[in-house]
Amino acid sequence: MEKSIEQINTRIREGNARVVTADEMPALVAELGEQGALREVDVVTTGTFGAMCSSGAFFNFGHADPPIRMERVWLNDVEAYGGIAAVDAYLGATQQSESRGIQYGGAHVLEDFVSGRRVELHAVSRGTDCYPRRNVTTELILEDLNQAIMVNPRNAYQRYNAATNSTDRTLYTYMGTLLPGCGNVSFSGAGTLSPLSNDPQFRVTGGGVPIFLGGAQGMIVGEGTQHSPAKGFGTLMVTGDLKQMSPQFLRAATMHGYGVTLYIGVGVPIPVLDLDIVRATAVRDEDIEVSVIDYGVPSRDRPALRTVNYAELKSGQVELHGEPVKTSSLSSYRRAREVAVALKGWVEQGKMALALPTRPIDPLKAARPMRETGRSPRVQDIMDRNVVSIGDDEVIKAAAAKLLKGETNHLVVVDREGRLVGVVTTYDVSKAIVHPGKAKVVGDIMTRKVITATPDESVDIAAQKLERYNISALPVTDTANRVQGMLTAIDLGKLFGGRWRR
Amino acid sequence: MKLLVNFSRKRGSEPIIAKAVKETGVLIMVDRAQIDPAGGQMLIDVPRESCRLVSDKMGELGADVRILEHAVTLDMSECVDCGACISVCPREVFTFDAGWRLSMKEDRCVLCGRCVPACPHRALSVLV
Ligand code: SF4
Ligand code: SF4
């Protein structure tokens, strides 16, 4: 048996379509069997509510008198992109306020508009013959705009890798607060309710399909940016009328130490046309797997510690290295359900008819990493290879002599095999000479806990270390802990200029 | 019930916790303490019914005592029930109820403050 979209739409129009939310589907299929479920269920509604950074809206403000061709545009001091027609602008959710930093951003402007609050528009221009005005400042509410059209380049991730942190300090990331020593696991996504996990083949999910977006009826534009369904990470580009949206399903947020983001509700109604769709929508939390990624490793290809499914993640605890670790969700499962339930209501009451994609989405695509034509500089490219070292058993006076001769402020201290054991600075040596106490040899006054860099480490990572630990030099060591060079703030200054010049 | 106790050692070093326990007969749990030679701040936990008694006694002993009605507070209008706060709290103050709504056991809170920046929606605050 198969059903057509026309049959389903007729039932919707007549108000007797059978609609269920995606979290109810697994039990229903278990009870009725696949054939039974196909007969019984017409539409499955999905939903997700979480941080979706790649979001924003186009605005048209109408013309001022005299008119202005807005070149740069700010809304509540958050810059919107003004490089489009005279009184149009695109405001991105993650753009930060000029004055309030990450406490307020594009997402907050969107929430303020949707909540009916006033927003100050400020724009500047060079002035042209047809648009003589050079600046304008006015207060607007959402109704004052001709259009406020949300267009989100990447929403509704099929699933998302969970995050943990193996380092010894707390990390503040877009996946939230990650405690040291793998102290917690943070995850995102609605699992069984997730729109794309219920249609991973993109059978009925594609351009032109009506959806729930932020409380309004919206539409799928097509595949989202970074769409990568071949790896299980499909995404959608979606659009909807901001004027119809509700703050219940659109909320600004700030990820501490990271930046601004938008929480938005997205739901896709899935017409149950055939058995394949029945099977896909019967997906359970247990069936959807993701990796737990170590965000302590600062490179693109971070290591995966293990694979987990959403049932484990939602249970509040997963095992890592044989220990139970608490989990936290960043997205709200409660609101995801509210999205699916609201969408179910619309379809049941005949307020939303379904449609098949007019533009299909490729279910086999895989996103590629960036092609980098220039190689980002490594520590070995800029480090100083003339390292002045000293043995840990040499007298302090010898260190003073070397510091004087070597025109450096840091001596690396090595053991007899040439392995790094510490660092002494001009300050350590001066102190020991001015206050001669028990300290006799370099080993008595050196710093033993040394922060180091490796030769093939990216310069950006090394720069972050200097900044974080507030130090001015990093010994560069190979895998055998032998010193290959020294990286100083001065070397970095040659590369980056300004900030690192001392 | 939580009490926030500030004391200085100017008046001679009275062992205020020990004295308060001895003279009131109430058991006092120290949740957190930060003490240096000049004085310190402690967060203590006492049974609700003995709260006045202990706070008066500590007042007599020269400490400045504040009764904390709410340790951590949740702004319900900002909370979206995501759960980002759950795993960062060392005291398991936060859990989900059966309907995936955030629920809190405030009396477990030791005001460490970790959850405040961890909430993406600025829904949590601690009063210290
Ligand atoms: S302040 Fe600390 S103990 Fe209290 S709820 Fe927040 S994280 Fe938990
Ligand atoms: S992190 Fe904030 S918004 Fe999320 S559940 Fe906790 S209090 Fe609510």
Side-chain angles (χ1 to χ4, degrees), chain B residues 11 14 23 55-63:
Chain B
R11 312 158 185 259
E14 296 259 31
E23 291 175 23
S55 110
D56 290 350
K57 177 51 70 186
M58 289 192 151
E60 271 172 41
L61 293 170

Side-chain angles (χ1 to χ4, degrees), chain A residues 80-253:
Chain A
Y81 180 69
I84 36 182
V87 290
D88 283 352
Y90 181 81
L91 177 69
T94 66
Q95 183 74 32
Q96 283 167 216
S97 148
E98 310 266 347
S99 46
R100 291 166 66 190
I102 67 170
Q103 296 312 315
Y104 190 93
H108 296 83
V109 174
L110 297 175
E111 183 185 330
D112 278 343
F113 266 139
V114 168
S115 304
R117 291 189 276 266
R118 280 180 186 285
V119 169
E120 187 192 79
L121 164 72
H122 176 63
V124 295
S125 166
R126 279 166 304 173
T128 67
D129 286 346
C130 43
Y131 290 109
R133 193 154 171 183
R134 304 210 168 181
N135 66 69
V136 66
T137 301
T138 182
E139 289 204 337
L140 300 168
I141 57 171
L142 194 51
E143 282 95 280
D144 296 329
L145 308 182
N146 288 320
Q147 280 81 26
I149 304 170
M150 175 167 272
V151 179
N152 302 343
R154 187 196 323 156
N155 278 183
Y157 253 110
Q158 191 166 346
R159 56 192 182 125
Y160 211 87
N161 279 330
T164 192
N165 161 26
S166 67
T167 69
D168 55 7
R169 62 185 194 98
T170 301
L171 296 181
Y172 298 101
T173 70
Y174 65 85
M175 288 299 286
T177 303
L178 301 176
L179 302 177
C182 295
N184 66 342
V185 168
S186 176
F187 71 99
S188 184
T192 175
L193 273 176
S194 157
L196 294 186
S197 285
N198 281 275
D199 185 16
Q201 298 305 317
F202 294 83
R203 290 276 320 281
V204 290
T205 308
V209 164
I211 58 167
F212 177 108
L213 181 63
Q217 294 201 7
M219 189 182 78
I220 296 174
V221 175
E223 71 177 37
T225 56
Q226 227 161 287
H227 175 63
S228 199
K231 298 174 184 163
F233 296 96
T235 70
L236 296 177
M237 184 182 284
V238 297
T239 183
D241 184 359
L242 197 71
K243 291 188 177 200
Q244 311 293 325
M245 294 187 190
S246 133
Q248 190 189 348
F249 296 110
L250 183 156
R251 286 297 180 88

